[in-house]
Amino acid sequence: MEHRLDRIKEELHAQSYKLTPQREATVRVLLEREEDHLSAEDVYLLVKEKAPEIGLATVYRTLELLSDLKVVDKINFGDGVSRYDLRKEGAKHFHHHLVCTECGSVEEIMDDLLEDVETVVQDQWGFLVQDHRLTFHGICRACQQKNN
Amino acid sequence: MEHRLDRIKEELHAQSYKLTPQREATVRVLLEREEDHLSAEDVYLLVKEKAPEIGLATVYRTLELLSDLKVVDKINFGDGVSRYDLRKEGAKHFHHHLVCTECGSVEEIMDDLLEDVETVVQDQWGFLVQDHRLTFHGICRACQQKNN
DNA sequence: TTATTTGCAAATAGTTTGCAAGACG
DNA sequence: CGTCTTGCAAACTATTTGCAAATAA
């Protein structure tokens, strides 16, 4: 955990960004809530518990910065909010999501299921793939069982 | 073209929605600009050319309605705007997109490349897939050539 | 006729920005 | 120290909503 925090600190320093307490608190929240898909507002409220003086604008600016550094990915599940998802260390690609249309839960798939598909896209469409976004909408295991 | 318009009219009637000139004008714009990925504002401006008295709120309401009827899909490429994309007739799934990070162009892939992946998701994660969203980010053919 | 639908304007919600004060390196 | 960063409030943008008037079926 601390290890990953240090790596992110290094990333910031490498680009000569300052490491402020606000930025550190924000990163800590993201690490602690890695499973979740927090909105800026969510992050703000959680950071506020540790560092009550932080402002919402700073959270937005920090998340934007981390997004530029590719430490987090900014995603959008179609409700009007952007969500921020920590990228796995060394992950080449964004991970996939399973969004349940009944209970709204979001599951993550870390495996890269798209290697073959990317080959097709590169070969048949001549498109040089850098990254991808894949979300499945459907019914999660728990809701399927509930329905029976 | 008229055929598809009629089908959409039927869809509306089947759910006992009224067929107003505003709704028809909106659908016509979507059909004419099927290749594009129009925002609500884009649609509004185009509809206004034919029916100047239409209001932006009506366009939003119509697009929302068409989205509920699964006539259009609401998508989000990460800029702050929702875009509306006509679903192909009888298409089970949303089509895929190739977004160029250099010129911003958006190409569509109609083939369903995800059948195998969906099987994996259903079998290994127990997730009952209803639909998917897949977008690749990368460099389009034209920009690759330009770079050499 | 009569429940829907519209246009307008005002309200919201999420996000961004200007700026003076504060703090990291 | 000087520049980067912050907090606050105001500005902005996309979208939604309330309501009285208009209209499709």
Side-chain angles (χ1 to χ4, degrees):
Chain A
M1 194 72 158
E2 286 299 313
H3 166 66
R4 296 184 63 194
L5 182 64
D6 289 341
R7 288 295 289 258
I8 295 169
K9 286 184 185 175
E10 283 166 26
E11 288 262 8
L12 281 166
H13 283 141
Q15 311 279 328
S16 62
Y17 287 112
K18 291 180 181 171
L19 184 65
T20 63
Q22 290 92 332
R23 286 179 181 164
E24 176 162 340
T26 304
V27 171
R28 280 186 187 280
V29 163
L30 291 173
L31 283 164
E32 284 165 17
R33 302 292 293 264
E34 185 160 19
E35 301 305 299
D36 300 335
H37 300 82
L38 304 173
S39 67
E41 184 85 34
D42 295 336
V43 173
Y44 170 61
L45 292 173
L46 289 165
V47 173
K48 225 169 157 48
E49 290 175 9
K50 313 182 166 189
E53 73 294 349
I54 200 173
L56 179 55
T58 301
V59 172
Y60 271 104
R61 283 184 282 228
T62 302
L63 290 172
E64 161 102 37
L65 174 60
L66 294 175
S67 193
D68 290 346
L69 294 177
K70 299 211 183 303
V71 169
V72 303
D73 284 303
K74 190 174 177 178
I75 43 175
N76 196 304
F77 290 133
D79 52 345
V81 219
S82 292
R83 297 176 181 281
Y84 299 85
D85 211 354
L86 212 49
R87 202 174 258 241
K88 300 294 161 250
E89 230 184 313
K92 264 214 318 285
H93 284 304
F94 196 60
H95 50 264
H96 318 309
H97 292 100
L98 307 180
V99 180
C100 181
T101 51
E102 276 191 28
C103 67
S105 70
V106 180
E107 221 175 322
E108 310 205 323
I109 296 190
M110 298 306 167
D111 307 21
D112 191 350
L113 305 174
L114 288 180
E115 293 187 350
D116 295 345
V117 176
E118 280 188 9
T119 307
V120 172
V121 169
Q122 311 231 22
D123 293 353
Q124 288 186 28
W125 276 268
F127 187 87
L128 182 62
V129 176
Q130 295 171 328
D131 202 358
H132 55 235
R133 300 282 156 126
L134 173 58
T135 306
F136 289 101
H137 298 257
I139 318 273
C140 73
R141 204 192 297 258
C143 283
Q144 287 176 56
Q145 284 168 356
K146 203 168 46 193
N147 293 346
N148 292 331
Chain B
M1 193 73 158
E2 286 300 312
H3 166 65
R4 295 184 65 194
L5 182 63
D6 289 339
R7 287 296 290 259
I8 294 170
K9 286 184 185 175
E10 283 166 26
E11 288 262 9
L12 281 166
H13 282 141
Q15 311 278 328
S16 63
Y17 288 113
K18 292 182 181 169
L19 184 64
T20 64
Q22 291 90 334
R23 285 178 181 166
E24 176 162 341
T26 304
V27 171
R28 280 187 188 280
V29 163
L30 291 174
L31 283 164
E32 284 164 18
R33 303 290 293 266
E34 186 160 19
E35 300 305 299
D36 300 336
H37 301 82
L38 303 173
S39 67
E41 184 86 31
D42 296 336
V43 174
Y44 171 63
L45 293 172
L46 289 165
V47 174
K48 225 169 157 49
E49 291 175 10
K50 313 181 169 192
E53 73 294 350
I54 201 173
L56 178 56
T58 302
V59 172
Y60 271 104
R61 284 184 281 227
T62 302
L63 291 172
E64 163 101 36
L65 175 60
L66 294 174
S67 192
D68 289 347
L69 294 176
K70 299 212 184 301
V71 169
V72 303
D73 285 302
K74 191 174 177 179
I75 44 175
N76 197 303
F77 290 135
D79 51 348
V81 219
S82 291
R83 296 176 181 280
Y84 299 85
D85 212 353
L86 213 47
R87 202 173 257 241
K88 299 298 162 248
E89 233 185 310
K92 267 214 316 286
H93 284 305
F94 196 61
H95 50 264
H96 318 309
H97 292 99
L98 307 180
V99 180
C100 180
T101 50
E102 277 194 23
C103 67
S105 70
V106 180
E107 221 175 322
E108 308 204 325
I109 296 190
M110 298 306 166
D111 308 22
D112 190 350
L113 306 175
L114 288 180
E115 292 186 349
D116 294 346
V117 176
E118 281 188 10
T119 306
V120 172
V121 169
Q122 310 231 24
D123 293 354
Q124 289 186 27
W125 274 268
F127 187 86
L128 182 62
V129 176
Q130 295 171 328
D131 201 358
H132 55 235
R133 301 282 156 125
L134 173 58
T135 305
F136 289 101
H137 298 257
I139 318 272
C140 73
R141 205 192 296 261
C143 283
Q144 286 175 58
Q145 284 168 356
K146 202 170 48 193
N147 292 347
N148 292 332

